[in-house]
Amino acid sequence: MTKGNSVSAASLGCSLPRWVPRALVLLAALLLSACDTELYNNLDQRQANEIVATLQQRGIPAQRVVVKGGQYTVVVDKGRFAESISILNEAGLPRQEFQTMGQVFKKDGLVSSPLQERAQMIFALSQELSKTVSEIDGVLSARVHLVLPENDPLRQQLVPSSASVFIRHRSDAQVASLVPQVKMLVANGVAGLSYDKVSVVLVPVDAQAPTRRQDLEMVSFFGVWMQRDNLAQAMWMFFGLVALVLVLAGGLGFVLYRRSGRVYALTSTPAVSTGVVKASSTNVVKMS
């Protein structure tokens, strides 16, 4: 009986040549250099839409990506990161988030002092009024500062309450004509605040003209339509993947070539001694 000899898979394994991992690292670095970069994260849907729309109007391709928790991330081309930040700062985006009364006076299990509660009330009123003023068309950002002194009823001279409103707006927006309405809004929103004690400061910002539409022309790359600014990135990724496949195929072929030319020595198994019985001639006696 003959017993076959088996060769383990470990004895046939052959590591890749050293230049293959180096080539993979180089290709990965080239692909990463052509990727988009993160502009802003943890945005809600409205903020992400405003940022993407503003950047696309200026000729910068931007995309929003949904992340875990229902938040959004806006990404742009790495080469236009600085330009995107400048445009968004000019447009006042992303808009400042203001806290509501419920958020300011959220129960935390601790007993607040009267001074702390008064400071929280002033801050909450300021946040609510700033949010309302910032929603006026053409306003980029707005802040409302309140001064509500704690007057002693026994004092003869009382310090009046006052408010200052800062509005940063586009120069083409007619915000100056709304100053009386803004003062009335703030005065009626704070108890004991008179109309004459509200001051409004306007800061106009010249907005650049949007980029012409032809700067956002679409081009075709292997049947896929994309913006011209994304063409270079798509070519980097496509030809990088092709080169990666060729490198892997070459490495695999090299391994198979070396394996096919290698001679493996088979270890001989000692023959199992078996009892051999030799037949001996016997005399047959015929009985007549």
Side-chain angles (χ1 to χ4, degrees):
M1 178 179 178
T2 305
K3 192 175 182 180
N5 295 316
S6 61
V7 181
S8 62
S11 63
L12 293 177
C14 182
S15 60
L16 292 175
R18 295 181 178 180
W19 59 269
V20 175
R22 296 176 182 177
L24 295 179
V25 173
L26 179 60
L27 285 175
L30 293 176
L31 290 177
L32 289 176
S33 63
C35 293
D36 293 336
T37 182
E38 183 179 296
L39 192 62
Y40 284 104
N41 55 14
N42 295 330
L43 302 173
D44 56 27
Q45 187 176 13
R46 179 179 179 181
Q47 291 175 329
N49 291 339
E50 289 178 346
I51 292 176
V52 172
T54 301
L55 293 178
Q56 289 184 354
Q57 287 177 355
R58 301 295 182 87
I60 299 180
Q63 297 178 354
R64 61 174 192 175
V65 181
V66 183
V67 295
K68 186 178 180 180
Q71 300 294 316
Y72 290 84
T73 297
V74 177
V75 294
V76 296
D77 184 70
K78 184 180 296 185
R80 311 194 70 173
F81 177 82
E83 183 182 359
S84 302
I85 292 293
S86 177
I87 292 176
L88 294 180
N89 288 338
E90 177 186 330
L93 297 175
R95 299 187 183 275
Q96 181 181 357
E97 295 183 1
F98 299 98
Q99 295 185 1
T100 62
M101 285 280 191
Q103 293 175 340
V104 173
F105 291 96
K106 185 178 180 179
K107 296 296 183 179
D108 53 2
L110 300 178
V111 179
S112 302
S113 63
L115 181 60
Q116 183 180 1
E117 290 182 352
R118 179 177 177 80
Q120 289 178 337
M121 176 61 70
I122 295 176
F123 177 75
L125 289 174
S126 175
Q127 291 286 293
E128 291 283 357
L129 292 172
S130 299
K131 181 179 180 180
T132 303
V133 175
S134 63
E135 292 179 354
I136 298 176
D137 292 340
V139 175
L140 301 177
S141 60
R143 295 294 300 272
V144 177
H145 302 276
L146 299 177
V147 179
L148 304 178
E150 188 175 2
N151 294 315
D152 188 357
L154 300 179
R155 294 180 56 182
Q156 295 181 355
Q157 294 181 353
L158 301 179
V159 180
S161 302
S162 61
S164 299
V165 183
F166 170 81
I167 299 178
R168 181 172 175 265
H169 64 92
R170 296 197 307 264
S171 57
D172 56 348
Q174 302 298 326
V175 180
S177 60
L178 300 177
V179 171
Q181 288 87 337
V182 173
K183 296 177 65 175
M184 184 66 67
L185 173 68
V186 177
N188 293 337
V190 180
L193 180 61
S194 62
Y195 177 88
D196 297 334
K197 292 299 181 179
V198 179
S199 60
V200 180
V201 178
L202 301 179
V203 179
V205 176
D206 295 330
Q208 299 179 0
T211 307
R212 295 177 298 176
R213 189 64 181 176
Q214 53 265 29
D215 292 340
L216 295 176
E217 61 177 332
M218 307 295 289
V219 294
S220 176
F221 180 70
F222 287 100
V224 178
W225 289 93
M226 62 185 66
Q227 296 179 357
R228 181 173 292 277
D229 291 341
N230 293 335
L231 181 60
Q233 176 183 348
M235 294 177 63
W236 269 104
M237 297 187 68
F238 176 78
F239 292 110
L241 291 176
V242 172
L244 179 61
V245 172
L246 293 178
V247 169
L248 292 177
L252 181 60
F254 180 77
V255 171
L256 295 178
Y257 172 76
R258 291 187 58 184
R259 182 180 298 177
S260 62
R262 182 173 298 180
V263 178
Y264 297 95
L266 299 179
T267 58
S268 58
T269 8
V272 181
S273 58
T274 56
V276 179
V277 180
K278 295 183 178 181
S280 57
S281 58
T282 58
N283 295 326
V284 179
V285 180
K286 294 184 178 180
M287 301 295 296
S288 58

